[in-house]
Amino acid sequence: MGLLDGKVAFITGAARGQGRSHAQRLAQEGAAIIAVDVADRVSQHEGYPPATAADLKETVKLVEKNGGRIVAGTADVRDSEALGQVLGQGVAEFGGRLDVVVANAGVVSWGRFWEMSDEQWKSMIDVNLTGVWRTLKAAVPHMLAAGNGGSIITISSVAGLKSLPGQAHYSAAKHGVVGLTKSAAIELGEYGIRVNSIHPWGVSTVMATEDTHMGELLSAHPNYGMSYASALPGLPLAEPDDISDAVVYLASELSRAVTGTQLTVDMGATKM
């Protein structure tokens, strides 16, 4: 028996990294998966290679390999119509219910705030904050129509609790996700829908390990490095599975009394 048998979960940014891990883990616990990813470059400012359509197909393959059910499609979280189309298709495929939402899609770029272009700032807020709002906006009506309660999980960051140099736009967006999460928890509580945020630190994904812009900026401003410490120097990066453990907890009845909270999976970084 899985912790999520009979449930349906919607995951954004599912082509690789944390999103792929969440899809696999929730499927292993018995959930049917609706997965979306932009599968393309979001803007010119990211210093790492983008996810691809082939990556999203690999997520589908990995979920199905272990007997899981999945509907996947390409959608940008900046595009409400595209999100709604894939989500609607998945909900119909899986019997008209939606129980779990993992708003995971996000991007990272670097720079000092006064040196950023308007477009760099805007693309970050559009994806990492407004994209979360669009995800919840698309999902909640399906959850309400099903009438089964459920769990919404937003993936914020340590930067949603502790502002970071070189990432003012990212910190602003991730702090905004916390405010959205708390308001949503209050508004959805009467329907039995819990809403919580998870706050990872560095995670071993392409976004963290192949971002050339991060190294360039921290090398140019070595004093910024003090803000990027953790209490577990022997664990420089978490694995995607570490974050998925938290997702499974918040998605399941193990956390039935938890809503409106900020769950840190951060190697103590918010305490440094």
Side-chain angles (χ1 to χ4, degrees), residues 211-232:
D211 189 336
T212 58
H213 295 172
M214 173 175 61
E216 292 167 2
L217 186 133
L218 294 181
S219 294
H221 305 282
N223 59 306
Y224 289 179
M226 294 183 294
S227 297
Y228 289 88
S230 79
L232 295 175

Side-chain angles (χ1 to χ4, degrees), residues 92-176:
E93 177 76 16
F94 296 132
R97 69 182 297 158
L98 181 62
D99 306 276
V100 177
V101 177
V102 186
N104 168 78
V107 294
V108 169
S109 66
W110 295 80
R112 298 187 296 182
F113 73 88
W114 69 93
E115 295 172 336
M116 292 178 188
S117 66
D118 287 3
E119 194 277 330
Q120 183 179 2
W121 178 275
K122 183 177 185 299
S123 64
M124 177 64 67
I125 302 301
D126 282 352
V127 173
N128 284 17
L129 176 55
T130 309
V132 175
W133 170 74
R134 288 194 178 98
T135 299
L136 272 57
K137 182 182 179 182
V140 166
H142 291 290
M143 301 177 81
L144 296 179
N148 299 309
S151 174
I152 295 173
I153 301 154
T154 62
I155 306 299
S156 181
S157 168
V158 164
L161 301 173
K162 165 187 169 179
S163 292
L164 297 174
Q167 288 197 317
H169 56 339
Y170 185 81
S171 297
K174 293 299 190 177
H175 273 74

Side-chain angles (χ1 to χ4, degrees), residues 7 30 56-58 64 68 71 85 98 100 113 131 136 146 158 167 180 183 193 195 200 213 234 239 265:
K7 307 291 188 182
L56 186 57
K57 289 180 181 178
E58 181 65 15
E64 292 180 339
V71 169
Q85 287 177 349
L98 181 62
V100 177
F113 73 88
L136 272 57
V158 164
Q167 288 197 317
L180 171 60
S183 291
I193 299 172
V195 192
H213 295 172
E239 293 297 327
V265 188

